[in-house]
């Protein structure tokens, strides 16, 4: 090996032709190295752009398919959307305090109920409750929610069958000991009689994307967060109407319920809420809420 190294050194360094070859090779090597570094930098830039794009999609709750919108160069709203004067109602300090305190007291009486009366509710009340939920803010004002209201007896029975079948598996197999142990003090299980007793079931579906008139996809930014905010207003509206509800997220029931209710594939079940009056003998766990000091930090 040493002899070979010495021979190569003699031929390419200590001879005229070797020196000439080295002189010609050095610029070529430098250009190659520069090109290689430039290519590496370009790749790094592309990788960084891809990562940033992924971060933006994740932050906006947008999937890969939804990100490839058919309206890339068109805004979600009208390009020449008018902006009008904002009308605001002001209250003096005393009334603000009184109104905010009263609203808190009303909301603080809200409880999750599992025991319902079958007493009918005027449909107009349900309409107003859903309209209130529809006032929620949403990403780029895409309003990515669909509220399915079920009052038909047979449909409610089918909803209950689907949920109880899956919930029994959830409680006995999927959820695990810790989860079911934590639920035990609340005395909840896979049997859900309120699904057929309550006069209305409200199912909130999030629209993962919208559909354009031409059949293309319309991006719905922050669709789950937007729907969650809407659900909060729904809960407040139900409480202010003098009714009760239960927020449930039926595990593994979404596809079957979507098919039952004839909803399209771009809609995913987010929440199911029975709505009605409480049963006369209804009970609730004696829970305590966190204090203001536990939930608020003032900086």
């Amino acid at each position: 090996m040493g002899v070979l190294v010495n021979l190569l050194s003699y031929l390419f360094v200590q001879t005229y032709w070797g020196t000439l070859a080295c002189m010609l090779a050095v610029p070529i090597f430098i250009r190659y190295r520069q090109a290689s570094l430039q290519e590496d930098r370009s790749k790094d830039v592309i990788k960084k752009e891809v990562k940033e794009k992924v971060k933006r999609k994740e932050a906006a709750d947008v999937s890969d398919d939804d990100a490839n919108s058919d309206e890339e160069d068109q805004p979600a709203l009208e390009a020449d959307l008018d902006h009008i004067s904002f009308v605001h109602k002001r209250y003096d300090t005393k009334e603000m305090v009184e109104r905010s305190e009263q609203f808190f007291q009303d909301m603080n009486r809200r409880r999750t109920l599992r025991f319902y009366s079958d007493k009918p509710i005027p449909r107009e009340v349900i309409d107003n409750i859903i309209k209130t939920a529809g006032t929620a803010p949403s990403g780029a004002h895409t309003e990515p929610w669909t509220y399915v209201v079920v009052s038909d007896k047979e449909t409610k029975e089918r909803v209950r069958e689907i949920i109880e079948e899956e919930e029994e598996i959830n409680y006995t197999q999927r959820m695990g000991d810790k989860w079911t142990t934590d639920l035990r003090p609340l005395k909840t299980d896979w049997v859900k009689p309120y699904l057929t007793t309550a006069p209305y079931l409200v199912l909130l579906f999030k629209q993962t994307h919208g559909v354009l008139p031409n059949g293309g996809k319309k991006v719905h930014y922050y669709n789950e967060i937007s729907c969650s905010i809407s659900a909060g207003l729904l809960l407040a509206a139900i409480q202010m109407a003098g009714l009760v509800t239960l927020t449930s997220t039926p595990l593994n029931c979404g596809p079957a319920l979507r098919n039952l209710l004839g909803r399209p594939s771009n809609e995913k079940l987010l929440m199911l809420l029975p709505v009605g009056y409480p049963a006369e003998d209804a009970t609730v766990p004696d829970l305590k809420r966190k204090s203001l000091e536990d939930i608020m930090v003032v900086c």
Side-chain angles (χ1 to χ4, degrees), residues 150-258:
V150 178
S151 59
D152 176 71
K153 180 180 178 181
E154 292 183 2
T155 305
K156 289 194 295 181
E157 289 175 350
R158 183 66 186 122
V159 168
R160 179 177 176 180
E161 289 173 4
I162 291 172
I163 291 179
E164 288 187 338
E165 180 178 350
E166 288 293 334
E167 283 287 77
E168 183 174 7
I169 300 174
N170 293 336
Y171 272 83
T172 58
Q173 300 177 33
R174 299 186 182 120
M175 292 167 61
D177 292 340
K178 177 58 178 172
W179 194 345
T180 54
T181 298
D182 286 342
L183 290 175
R184 193 177 303 144
L186 302 177
K187 297 182 180 179
T188 177
D189 55 28
W190 63 80
V191 181
K192 316 289 186 183
Y194 55 78
L195 293 172
T196 47
T197 304
Y200 287 101
L201 301 180
V202 176
L203 293 90
L204 169 54
F205 287 84
K206 68 171 185 177
Q207 301 169 6
T208 57
H209 63 80
V211 181
L212 298 171
N214 63 4
K217 291 183 178 180
K218 176 182 178 180
V219 177
H220 279 177
Y221 307 96
Y222 304 101
N223 52 73
E224 185 156 337
I225 295 175
S226 299
C227 286
S228 298
I229 297 172
S230 178
L233 292 180
L234 181 81
L235 293 175
I238 291 171
Q239 178 71 10
M240 294 304 291
L243 301 173
V244 295
T245 189
L246 159 75
T247 53
S248 67
T249 53
L251 187 63
N252 293 328
C253 298
L257 292 175
R258 184 182 66 212

Side-chain angles (χ1 to χ4, degrees), residues 56-72:
R56 289 195 299 270
K57 288 191 294 183
E58 290 177 347
D61 198 16
V62 176
S63 68
D64 288 331
D65 292 338
D66 298 340
N68 299 322
S69 172
D70 294 312
E71 52 167 17
E72 289 289 343

Side-chain angles (χ1 to χ4, degrees), residues 105-148:
Q105 294 298 340
D106 290 337
M107 292 300 102
N108 198 35
R109 285 190 287 271
R110 187 205 59 77
R111 296 300 307 269
T112 293
L113 258 291
R114 291 180 170 83
F115 308 100
Y116 288 76
S117 165
D118 60 0
K119 181 180 178 181
I121 299 171
R123 172 60 185 277
E124 185 178 4
V125 174
I126 298 298
D127 292 348
N128 289 334
I129 288 171
I130 302 299
K131 286 192 293 185
T132 300
T135 67
S138 59
H141 194 63
T142 50
E143 302 174 299
W145 42 69
T146 299
Y147 284 94
V148 179

